[in-house]
Amino acid sequence: MELRYLRYFVAVAEELHFSRAAQRLGISQPPLSQQIRALEAELDTRLLTRTNRRVELTEAGLLFLEEAREILARTERASRRVSRVGRGETGQLRVGFTTSVPLTATLPQILLRYRQRYPDVDLRMHELNSRRQIEPLLEGDLDIGIMRPATLPDGLDAFTLIREPLMAVVNDQGPLGGHSSPLTLDELAIHPFIYFSPAAGTGLLDQFNALFARRGLTPRLVQEVGGPNTIISLVAGGLGVSILPASFRHIRIDNVRYRPISDDDAVSEVWLTHLRHQPTPQTQRFVDLVREYRDRETPA
């Protein structure tokens, strides 16, 4: 049974007049009469009684009117819901993010704008280090990855979301703790160093190694740990120094000082990553919003 049969019948049943129903539907009366007769033949039931003076619903017609209205309403609701999913206005968006990103102002502001613009999207946040986001992105278990720079396979696209300076993390009571002036990487490299273990899976480790390798320096690593909070705690305990993105300076621990680094390339980026081909509508909406936010916030 075609939906147009139901629409034709509802128009006639509500108008109880074929000419007015035909005008309402934007068709001529003879085809409308034919469609109603075809519907009654298909149902093998008389829905309307017709005389020269009036049209009335039969008992079966009254019941069918109720069912037809419900079917048409459900179809309309389904169409609207499917269209909204297709436009990325509902559905689900799964976002992976590294530990440090919520410490910046950027991600909370983006999430707030996305939630305000698309309140019906089910937003799922997953805290994962950079390397552990790659496989879920490729396999469709994540839609968006917010990560530090990493080597990406061909199936993923990325662009810079945040660019921030690196800062020296030193013990306030140690030899580098008495000042707030900028340090150089050469000055830092002569001190015992605390940094991420390769098993931590963070892109910061590769950046750390590259920065010192460009200068022919090999810092003396005394501790390799799994997370930034541990690095900061060990610096507070006087075991060594470290470098971290500036966003970590919001973690305040006694005996820890954050000092700027004067080297021009001592910066860190955060990337937004997603599937290169056929991203979901929700993903595309998020990417568009982020680009809009980034373009507005970046000075001309």
Side-chain angles (χ1 to χ4, degrees):
M1 182 181 300
E2 298 183 27
L3 286 176
R4 64 191 176 98
Y5 286 173
L6 301 184
R7 295 190 183 97
Y8 292 166
F9 171 74
V10 169
V12 173
E14 290 178 348
E15 298 292 342
L16 293 177
H17 195 283
F18 274 83
S19 294
R20 288 197 298 267
Q23 185 177 7
R24 168 174 156 182
L25 293 166
I27 63 175
S28 60
Q29 181 177 335
L32 176 59
S33 299
Q34 292 171 6
Q35 296 293 346
I36 295 299
R37 284 196 293 270
L39 175 62
E40 290 178 321
E42 183 174 341
L43 293 172
D44 193 24
T45 302
R46 178 66 62 89
L47 301 174
L48 301 163
T49 58
R50 311 161 180 84
T51 68
N52 291 333
R53 302 182 61 182
R54 60 191 304 172
V55 175
E56 292 183 346
L57 289 165
T58 65
E59 184 177 355
L62 286 168
L63 176 59
F64 193 69
L65 175 60
E66 180 181 339
E67 296 290 342
R69 283 171 170 165
E70 182 178 344
I71 291 169
L72 291 172
R74 289 178 61 188
T75 302
E76 179 62 26
R77 287 195 301 270
S79 297
R80 287 198 302 267
R81 292 178 63 188
V82 169
S83 295
R84 294 193 69 202
V85 170
R87 294 193 301 267
E89 297 173 0
T90 61
Q92 186 180 87
L93 183 73
R94 298 155 300 177
V95 179
F97 65 96
T98 61
T99 304
S100 63
V101 177
L103 297 173
T104 71
T106 301
L107 182 61
Q109 289 175 4
I110 286 172
L111 293 177
L112 177 60
R113 292 187 185 196
Y114 184 80
R115 172 57 62 221
Q116 290 172 339
R117 191 173 297 182
Y118 305 108
D120 295 326
V121 174
D122 181 14
L123 187 61
R124 301 290 181 94
M125 305 297 295
H126 303 274
E127 185 175 347
L128 297 166
N129 67 46
S130 298
R131 291 177 184 168
R132 289 177 183 157
Q133 293 182 39
I134 293 174
E135 185 175 347
L137 283 166
L138 289 171
E139 294 186 353
D141 295 323
L142 281 180
D143 302 303
I144 295 288
I146 299 177
M147 61 175 66
R148 298 287 172 177
T151 302
L152 298 179
D154 290 340
L156 298 180
D157 257 347
F159 63 88
T160 300
L161 174 62
I162 300 168
R163 200 169 189 267
E164 60 179 335
L166 292 169
M167 300 192 77
V169 188
V170 303
N171 186 286
D172 202 27
Q173 307 302 316
L176 299 178
H179 305 279
S180 298
S181 57
L183 291 164
T184 67
L185 292 170
D186 293 73
E187 290 175 295
L188 283 170
I190 64 175
H191 295 274
F193 234 91
I194 304 164
Y195 216 63
F196 294 102
S197 163
T202 175
L204 287 170
L205 178 59
D206 293 336
Q207 186 173 18
F208 166 82
N209 291 333
L211 276 172
F212 286 102
R214 284 197 290 271
R215 291 162 174 78
L217 301 172
T218 305
R220 179 166 58 90
L221 289 172
V222 294
Q223 292 287 333
E224 294 183 330
V225 301
N229 289 342
T230 306
I231 288 175
I232 297 169
S233 295
L234 293 181
V235 170
L239 273 70
V241 301
S242 191
I243 56 175
L244 287 172
S247 50
F248 283 99
R249 71 185 184 276
H250 297 298
I251 300 178
R252 312 303 303 180
I253 296 181
D254 290 345
N255 298 326
V256 170
R257 182 185 292 264
Y258 298 90
R259 292 183 63 177
I261 298 174
S262 58
D263 299 74
D264 291 340
D265 58 345
V267 294
S268 180
E269 292 184 345
V270 174
W271 289 353
L272 187 148
T273 312
H274 60 89
L275 279 177
R276 175 168 297 167
H277 302 294
Q278 296 183 329
T280 67
Q282 293 79 11
T283 299
Q284 191 60 57
R285 292 283 186 176
F286 189 85
V287 170
D288 291 344
L289 182 145
V290 169
R291 290 187 183 277
E292 174 188 311
Y293 172 88
R294 187 190 59 174
D295 294 344
R296 183 181 295 122
E297 296 297 319
T298 301

